Amino acid sequence: MPKLLLATAVALSAAFAPLAATASSEGAFLGASLGKARYDADMGAYDGKWARAYELLGGYRWKAGDRFAVGVEGGYANLGQIADRQHGAATNKSTLVARAWLIGANGKWAMAKDWSLIGRAGIARTRSDFESRSVAGSSRSRFRAHVTDSSVYLGTGVAYALTPRADVSLQATRYLPSGRNTVVRNTRIAATVLSAGAEFRF
């Protein structure tokens, strides 16, 4: 595990230790979501493009009152693949794939019967892979690179309880950024994932 994720895990453990000792437990949870990632980039070829995305999470949550619970989470996010093709004297095709390991904290506030607001924040250790291919007559060239970067992710959404142990949700999660530096020539790339998901507690 990268040092930053390990340091974050230690910090979260220390922060939640007093709560774990005094608060009642809501329990462990597993969650999954599926949706679309909208890329936001300084580079026009990628700006505004959408890709399929999914997230897998697990964690533990404690009650911090009658209507509020807080916890820790970890998981994986695949932000999908976007592509660009340009035609001219040469045909150029490029693709960008981003995925991240996550560790962070989450909160859940019961608004009304069966409905809750949810919030998430943490560190995303993101790897972005860039590939470009160019064809000009009989001449072909290929360039591949990747960069790994750590940054903050922030999420919010609304959940509905199907049962006392299972929720469905709609969420928006912002990854800042999903890539930087050599992959796309110092271009800042971020992504917002809009998804529908389910959570199961046990």
Side-chain angles (χ1 to χ4, degrees):
M1 180 182 288
K3 292 181 179 179
L4 181 58
L5 292 186
L6 182 58
T8 303
V10 172
L12 287 172
S13 298
F16 281 95
L19 181 64
T22 59
S24 60
S25 173
E26 188 182 70
F29 65 87
L30 291 174
S33 63
L34 180 66
K36 290 279 192 176
R38 184 187 187 278
Y39 279 77
D40 172 20
D42 297 336
M43 189 175 181
Y46 297 121
D47 191 44
K49 291 196 172 182
W50 293 81
R52 294 177 184 172
Y54 65 87
E55 299 169 311
L56 302 172
L57 290 172
Y60 203 92
R61 203 178 283 125
W62 296 269
K63 292 182 179 179
D66 293 337
R67 304 174 66 87
F68 192 65
V70 293
V72 293
E73 66 179 36
Y76 174 79
N78 187 307
L79 305 181
Q81 175 180 290
I82 53 177
D84 179 65
R85 185 185 295 269
Q86 297 181 359
H87 298 280
T91 299
N92 299 294
K93 181 180 179 180
S94 61
T95 58
L96 178 68
V97 181
R99 48 201 181 275
W101 292 102
L102 314 174
I103 187 165
N106 63 74
K108 186 177 179 182
W109 176 49
M111 299 182 296
K113 182 180 179 181
D114 299 331
W115 290 95
S116 300
L117 282 178
I118 50 181
R120 304 165 53 212
I123 299 296
R125 184 67 174 175
T126 307
R127 174 176 167 131
S128 302
D129 290 281
F130 177 76
E131 181 175 350
S132 177
R133 297 185 180 187
S134 179
V135 178
S138 60
S139 176
R140 299 173 182 268
S141 62
R142 182 181 182 184
F143 172 77
R144 299 178 69 180
H146 76 271
V147 66
T148 301
D149 193 24
S150 296
S151 59
V152 173
Y153 72 90
L154 300 169
T156 188
V158 61
Y160 178 78
L162 295 176
T163 74
R165 293 290 182 179
D167 292 354
V168 291
S169 64
L170 295 174
Q171 297 188 52
T173 306
R174 179 73 166 172
Y175 293 90
L176 293 169
S178 61
R180 206 181 266 280
N181 301 326
T182 59
V183 171
V184 281
R185 301 178 184 176
N186 263 352
T187 299
R188 180 191 63 83
I189 298 174
T192 300
V193 177
L194 304 177
S195 62
E199 178 185 288
F200 302 91
R201 293 177 293 281
F202 50 93

